[in-house]
Amino acid sequence: MTAKAVLVTGAQQGIGAAAARALAAAGHDVAVNWLDDRAAAEAVAADVRAAGRRAVLVQGSVGTATECAAIVQAALDGLGRIDVLVNNAGIFPRVPFLEMTEAEWDRVLDVNLKGSAFCAQAAARHMVAAGRRGVILNLSSSAVRGVPLGVHYAATKAGVIGLTRSMALALAPHGIRVNAVAPGLTDTAQPRHGNTEDELATMAKALPLGRMGRPEEIAGLLVWLASDAAEWITGQVYHMNGGGYMA
């Protein structure tokens, strides 16, 4: 597999951390973006280096276009280029729809949707200027089916699908591929915020495959989509959810 330079946003934990480790194991250098847990990010970076690859720590939120540009520039400064962007950073604060405030709506859209768009724009501008073919991978979610305590979250993850398809069309002339992965119930901190272990077990047993997904499984698909083996794939959404949603 051709070695690439990869920026993973929200890589201090969960799917982002698993993606960073799996990409390093596949032979890629990784810029590890983190928000508020440097120790966790350092542990991810240490695993990247243990795999024999370069790791760069990039602190920052993806909530504004300015912050997105700064994160991408820091990754460029550390790795020298960006071949792959994994837009993983996201938040899911639970709130009943009738109680949701404009500020709560704006915060989720800023991080989940605006952040994905403007990180992608900043990375793609570099790829185009360098004459480099590249890959952008966005994280959507099976929440596009609807979640009662996450109207804002579901809206962003549905938006990510539209973003993915539209960016794929816009960037195809430059040789940049754009795809999305939409995980279902995955064993990370996110579903544990708002669900008890018993509730999670019940939800997992209800899936056709009878268990939660593992972050490493999501990461495996991301690694493949980043590789040259997927070079004729763009504008697609891959659902990974144990059979809970068959698109």
Side-chain angles (χ1 to χ4, degrees):
M1 185 178 293
T2 303
K4 303 178 188 291
V6 186
L7 167 60
V8 182
T9 67
Q12 70 185 34
Q13 63 180 357
I15 291 171
R21 291 181 171 109
L23 286 158
H28 306 308
D29 299 328
V30 185
V32 178
N33 166 242
W34 61 284
L35 177 64
D36 56 10
D37 190 341
R38 184 178 183 91
E42 289 277 13
V44 175
D47 288 341
V48 171
R49 296 183 185 113
R53 306 310 306 178
R54 290 184 297 158
V56 176
L57 285 175
V58 179
Q59 196 276 334
S61 168
V62 300
T64 69
T66 300
E67 290 172 308
C68 290
I71 289 169
V72 169
Q73 187 59 54
L76 284 169
D77 292 343
L79 297 179
R81 69 181 197 274
I82 294 177
D83 301 304
V84 180
L85 166 67
V86 179
N87 265 323
N88 168 76
I91 57 174
F92 185 0
R94 274 69 167 178
V95 59
F97 176 60
L98 296 179
E99 299 172 15
M100 185 175 63
T101 65
E102 182 179 3
E104 289 169 325
W105 169 270
D106 287 347
R107 179 169 174 256
V108 174
L109 264 71
D110 283 349
V111 173
N112 295 6
L113 189 54
K114 185 200 291 185
S116 293
F118 283 96
C119 282
Q121 183 190 67
R125 282 175 172 170
H126 156 71
M127 294 170 187
V128 171
R132 190 183 304 280
R133 300 170 68 87
V135 179
I136 296 171
L137 302 174
N138 299 321
L139 269 293
S140 181
S141 168
S142 63
V144 296
R145 300 174 64 194
V147 281
L149 294 179
V151 170
H152 44 7
Y153 179 80
T156 64
K157 293 305 184 179
V160 163
I161 292 175
L163 180 70
T164 297
R165 292 169 176 161
S166 298
M167 288 197 308
L169 293 172
L171 296 175
H174 302 286
I176 299 172
R177 300 187 290 106
V178 188
N179 291 294
V181 174
L185 183 65
T186 306
D187 192 4
T188 66
Q190 188 185 89
R192 288 188 167 80
H193 179 69
N195 293 292
T196 67
E197 290 298 316
D198 286 344
E199 288 170 336
L200 286 174
T202 298
M203 288 188 284
K205 289 177 182 178
L207 296 172
L209 292 183
R211 65 169 176 85
M212 289 194 287
R214 295 186 294 270
E216 295 77 15
E217 291 172 312
I218 311 302
L221 179 55
L222 292 168
V223 170
W224 182 75
L225 287 171
S227 76
D228 295 340
E231 64 181 5
W232 206 52
I233 299 174
T234 196
Q236 304 304 308
V237 181
Y238 289 80
H239 291 272
M240 297 185 70
N241 50 52
Y245 173 48
M246 300 184 185

